[in-house]
Amino acid sequence: MSKQRTVTFNHNPLLRHGLPAWRPRAVMLGLMACSLALIGRAMYLQGVNNEFLQAKGESRYARVLEVPATRGRVTDRHGDMLAVSTPVRSIWAIPTDVNLTPPDARKLAGLLEMDVQELNRRLAAGRDFVYLKRQVSPESAQQIADLKLAGVHQQQEYRRYYPGGEVMAHVLGFTGVDDKGQEGVELAFDGTLAGKAGARRVIRDRRGQIIEDVEAIRAPRDGQDLALSIDAKIQYLAYSALRQAMQTHKAKAGASVVLDARTGEVLALVNAPTYNPNNRSNLSGAQLRNRVLTDVYEPGSIMKPFIVGLALDRGKVQPGTIIDTSPGRMTIGRATISDSHRNGALTVAQVIQKSSNIGTVKVAMHFSPDEMWRLYDDLGFGKPLNLGFPGEAGGRLRPAKTWKPIEQATMSYGHGVSVSLIQMAHAYLAFARDGELVPLSLTRLDAPPVGGKRIFSAATAREMRGMLELASGPGGTAPKAQVAGYRVAGKTGTAIKLEGAHYTNKYVSSYVGLAPASDPRLIVAVMIDEPSAGQYYGGAVAAPVFAQITEGALRALGVAPDAPLVPLQLAQKQGAVVPARENM
Amino acid sequence: MIRTDAFLVAVAVASALGVVASQHQARKLFSELEREQTRAHGLEVEWDQLQLEQSTWAAHARVEKIARERIGMRAPVPGQVFSIEGVK
């Protein structure tokens, strides 16, 4: 009995009654299938689909950090800073986490330069996230961080500074809060200037210190620096001359552009009214407007030299050819055009000097509308210059087929066609560069452009410079354009403004000139919109601005005087001339 | 036999310690590099700010104002300008 009670498993009497043979095998198979499934799963996780778990594991210690890139600097042609990004911090808070004691609140408010009530009002706003102040200087941000206040956080941002202020405003434009270009050069060259933030993966220890650089995912690409063709000194000269003229003539607006005649670089580009790009809280459209590039106007008489140049070039007239302009009026179709003074018989040179409409029209009548259209098209009128500037205007030049005779006549002296000031200055390059036209550049060129588009022969360009010099001499329309020590050549323009389809009694006075006339270095174009202090002729309003800019710019560039020394000494006796000009 | 084993164990231990030491070294050097890079960036920012400051102080408008008002300078009238010939 007792023997039977102590049976081992093998001798279990239950087993003696033979279990069916498939049962242990089935169990065995089942167990094996289970373990195979586990092994398979383990292999799958380890070998085949391991990214997910590895990523999970890595996220415990690895971090991807953004590596900020800075926006490129903008400098003038000599390397003076015009726009720089510097890091600033924005202070933000989670109001529910903030629990300020009154002394802390006072300190924080002091550092943020706001009063305590304002601070409390911001913190009381029922939001999860409030900016306490954006773009705080790094020093005060550090002091705020040292207060170690719960719920007050900081984030790094960049702010763009423009040391040139309002002088450079229209050239540079500005960037938005997110450091992207919105206007001017900042927008036009945004692709070059903007940096691209990089990223890298690092391993951090428990205290948040980086202990290992695992890989650089993307290297940060800092924005490239940009050297403009602008000369800060000439720009300032142009700005102050223009501002002065605006005040004296109570003008609505004004603009000026200075070009380097040898390279086609833009040395200065100013507009008035202007604005301070560092403080843009209340800007108006009029202040933002870049009149040099985006506004077109009827240029008036400054257009005359082109058609006369073409006539000289084709041999239709000589500088000494006599043209009868009497009786000072002329009828074409049903319209009548007239000169402001009766001039009688004039030579071609005098037509330019006295700015005779009738004389110019008679010269233009040598050409078909098609020939004239081709000249204007070659000079770049009617299409934008493609400087890459936002909102650049092309002006209006209708196809030659639609021109009526009276329109061809008025277009020869700059009415019925519209251009921007920079297009006008650009077209005058043809006279300054012995007949060749080169594209303009807003960035500094390392080498002067070779081979331009030939518009006139070198001889014609020289003859025309001579005529333009007469125009700015005694007996011309703009003796006030003269600059002591240098010979200047240029042309005045006084255009009546077109509003809707009617001419008004408002004027645009302009002057485009080149200096020194013997070997031009500069082209200076000035436009004064609606001078309303009595004078409105280009020779009285715009020419003195030209003289002031040219005088300073030639001195700044160190150009040797080309006027003979004798008049320089004579000028001593006429000392009163210059102060008088400054008062205009 | 035992001697070779002992030798191999010693080599293995030494190499393991070497790995630990060099890893530590690498981390230390890396955090130093990190510090220097931060410093370099900081200096670059400072350079920018100094240039900004310089161009603010040297702005033409400010220079002209000081020259005119404080030092009493003015642009020469034409009669006061003399050219020296033969100098290029």
Side-chain angles (χ1 to χ4, degrees), chain A residues 437-460:
Chain A
L437 211 52
V438 289
L440 298 185
S441 171
L442 271 173
T443 49
R444 187 176 64 201
L445 299 176
D446 296 321
V450 280
K453 189 166 64 170
R454 182 153 290 281
I455 310 283
F456 304 116
S457 71
T460 305

Short mmCIF file of all heavy atoms in Angstrom, two decimals, chain A residues 437-460:
data_model
loop_
_atom_site.label_atom_id
_atom_site.label_comp_id
_atom_site.label_asym_id
_atom_site.label_seq_id
_atom_site.Cartn_x
_atom_site.Cartn_y
_atom_site.Cartn_z
N LEU A 437 26.39 102.64 -73.62
CA LEU A 437 25.49 102.48 -72.49
C LEU A 437 25.85 101.18 -71.78
O LEU A 437 25.95 100.13 -72.41
CB LEU A 437 24.06 102.39 -73.02
CG LEU A 437 22.92 102.93 -72.17
CD1 LEU A 437 23.20 104.34 -71.73
CD2 LEU A 437 21.64 102.87 -72.96
N VAL A 438 26.07 101.24 -70.47
CA VAL A 438 26.35 100.00 -69.73
C VAL A 438 25.24 99.81 -68.69
O VAL A 438 24.62 100.78 -68.27
CB VAL A 438 27.72 100.03 -69.01
CG1 VAL A 438 28.85 99.94 -70.00
CG2 VAL A 438 27.85 101.25 -68.12
N PRO A 439 24.99 98.57 -68.27
CA PRO A 439 23.95 98.36 -67.26
C PRO A 439 24.37 98.95 -65.91
O PRO A 439 25.56 99.02 -65.60
CB PRO A 439 23.81 96.84 -67.18
CG PRO A 439 24.98 96.27 -67.88
CD PRO A 439 25.57 97.31 -68.76
N LEU A 440 23.37 99.34 -65.13
CA LEU A 440 23.66 99.89 -63.80
C LEU A 440 23.84 98.76 -62.79
O LEU A 440 23.39 97.65 -63.00
CB LEU A 440 22.50 100.78 -63.34
CG LEU A 440 22.21 102.00 -64.20
CD1 LEU A 440 21.12 102.83 -63.56
CD2 LEU A 440 23.47 102.82 -64.39
N SER A 441 24.54 99.09 -61.72
CA SER A 441 24.71 98.08 -60.68
C SER A 441 24.54 98.71 -59.31
O SER A 441 25.02 99.80 -59.05
CB SER A 441 26.11 97.47 -60.79
OG SER A 441 26.35 96.66 -59.67
N LEU A 442 23.84 97.99 -58.44
CA LEU A 442 23.67 98.45 -57.06
C LEU A 442 24.75 97.88 -56.16
O LEU A 442 24.90 98.31 -55.02
CB LEU A 442 22.30 98.01 -56.53
CG LEU A 442 21.15 98.96 -56.76
CD1 LEU A 442 19.86 98.30 -56.34
CD2 LEU A 442 21.35 100.25 -56.00
N THR A 443 25.47 96.88 -56.65
CA THR A 443 26.53 96.30 -55.84
C THR A 443 27.87 96.75 -56.40
O THR A 443 27.99 97.10 -57.56
CB THR A 443 26.47 94.76 -55.89
OG1 THR A 443 26.36 94.38 -57.24
CG2 THR A 443 25.29 94.25 -55.12
N ARG A 444 28.88 96.72 -55.53
CA ARG A 444 30.19 97.18 -55.94
C ARG A 444 30.76 96.25 -57.01
O ARG A 444 30.72 95.03 -56.85
CB ARG A 444 31.12 97.21 -54.73
CG ARG A 444 32.46 97.84 -55.03
CD ARG A 444 33.30 97.93 -53.78
NE ARG A 444 33.62 96.59 -53.29
CZ ARG A 444 33.99 96.33 -52.05
NH1 ARG A 444 34.04 97.29 -51.17
NH2 ARG A 444 34.28 95.11 -51.68
N LEU A 445 31.27 96.82 -58.07
CA LEU A 445 31.87 96.01 -59.13
C LEU A 445 33.38 95.98 -58.92
O LEU A 445 33.98 96.99 -58.57
CB LEU A 445 31.56 96.60 -60.50
CG LEU A 445 30.09 96.71 -60.89
CD1 LEU A 445 29.96 97.39 -62.23
CD2 LEU A 445 29.44 95.35 -60.93
N ASP A 446 33.97 94.83 -59.11
CA ASP A 446 35.42 94.74 -58.94
C ASP A 446 36.15 95.23 -60.18
O ASP A 446 37.25 95.74 -60.11
CB ASP A 446 35.81 93.30 -58.61
CG ASP A 446 35.22 92.89 -57.28
OD1 ASP A 446 35.21 93.73 -56.37
OD2 ASP A 446 34.75 91.74 -57.16
N ALA A 447 35.52 95.03 -61.32
CA ALA A 447 36.13 95.50 -62.56
C ALA A 447 35.07 96.27 -63.34
O ALA A 447 33.91 95.89 -63.32
CB ALA A 447 36.63 94.32 -63.39
N PRO A 448 35.45 97.36 -63.99
CA PRO A 448 34.46 98.09 -64.78
C PRO A 448 33.94 97.21 -65.90
O PRO A 448 34.67 96.37 -66.44
CB PRO A 448 35.25 99.29 -65.32
CG PRO A 448 36.68 98.93 -65.18
CD PRO A 448 36.78 97.96 -64.04
N PRO A 449 32.65 97.36 -66.24
CA PRO A 449 32.09 96.52 -67.30
C PRO A 449 32.76 96.81 -68.63
O PRO A 449 33.12 97.95 -68.92
CB PRO A 449 30.62 96.93 -67.33
CG PRO A 449 30.58 98.29 -66.71
CD PRO A 449 31.72 98.36 -65.75
N VAL A 450 32.97 95.77 -69.41
CA VAL A 450 33.59 95.97 -70.72
C VAL A 450 32.52 95.92 -71.79
O VAL A 450 31.59 95.13 -71.72
CB VAL A 450 34.68 94.91 -71.01
CG1 VAL A 450 35.97 95.26 -70.31
CG2 VAL A 450 34.20 93.54 -70.60
N GLY A 451 32.69 96.78 -72.78
CA GLY A 451 31.81 96.75 -73.94
C GLY A 451 30.36 97.01 -73.60
O GLY A 451 29.69 96.15 -73.07
N GLY A 452 29.89 98.18 -73.87
CA GLY A 452 28.49 98.48 -73.63
C GLY A 452 27.74 98.46 -74.95
O GLY A 452 28.26 98.00 -75.96
N LYS A 453 26.50 98.96 -74.87
CA LYS A 453 25.70 99.03 -76.07
C LYS A 453 25.96 100.40 -76.69
O LYS A 453 25.82 101.41 -76.02
CB LYS A 453 24.23 98.87 -75.70
CG LYS A 453 23.32 98.72 -76.86
CD LYS A 453 21.95 98.21 -76.41
CE LYS A 453 21.25 99.22 -75.51
NZ LYS A 453 19.86 98.92 -75.22
N ARG A 454 26.36 100.44 -77.95
CA ARG A 454 26.68 101.73 -78.56
C ARG A 454 25.41 102.40 -79.04
O ARG A 454 24.62 101.82 -79.79
CB ARG A 454 27.68 101.55 -79.71
CG ARG A 454 28.09 102.85 -80.36
CD ARG A 454 29.48 102.78 -80.99
NE ARG A 454 30.55 102.70 -79.99
CZ ARG A 454 31.02 103.74 -79.30
NH1 ARG A 454 30.47 104.93 -79.46
NH2 ARG A 454 31.99 103.59 -78.45
N ILE A 455 25.19 103.64 -78.60
CA ILE A 455 24.00 104.40 -79.00
C ILE A 455 24.42 105.50 -79.97
O ILE A 455 23.81 105.70 -81.01
CB ILE A 455 23.30 105.04 -77.78
CG1 ILE A 455 23.08 104.01 -76.67
CG2 ILE A 455 22.01 105.70 -78.21
CD1 ILE A 455 21.96 103.06 -76.91
N PHE A 456 25.45 106.25 -79.57
CA PHE A 456 25.95 107.33 -80.42
C PHE A 456 27.42 107.07 -80.70
O PHE A 456 28.07 106.31 -79.97
CB PHE A 456 25.83 108.68 -79.72
CG PHE A 456 24.45 109.01 -79.27
CD1 PHE A 456 24.16 109.15 -77.93
CD2 PHE A 456 23.43 109.21 -80.18
CE1 PHE A 456 22.88 109.46 -77.50
CE2 PHE A 456 22.15 109.53 -79.77
CZ PHE A 456 21.87 109.65 -78.42
N SER A 457 27.95 107.75 -81.73
CA SER A 457 29.38 107.66 -81.95
C SER A 457 30.08 108.52 -80.89
O SER A 457 29.47 109.41 -80.30
CB SER A 457 29.73 108.15 -83.35
OG SER A 457 29.55 109.55 -83.39
N ALA A 458 31.36 108.22 -80.64
CA ALA A 458 32.10 108.96 -79.63
C ALA A 458 32.11 110.45 -79.96
O ALA A 458 32.00 111.31 -79.07
CB ALA A 458 33.52 108.42 -79.52
N ALA A 459 32.22 110.78 -81.27
CA ALA A 459 32.28 112.18 -81.66
C ALA A 459 30.98 112.89 -81.31
O ALA A 459 30.97 114.00 -80.78
CB ALA A 459 32.56 112.28 -83.16
N THR A 460 29.84 112.22 -81.59
CA THR A 460 28.54 112.82 -81.26
C THR A 460 28.42 113.07 -79.77
O THR A 460 27.97 114.12 -79.33
CB THR A 460 27.40 111.87 -81.71
OG1 THR A 460 27.57 111.58 -83.08
CG2 THR A 460 26.06 112.48 -81.46
#
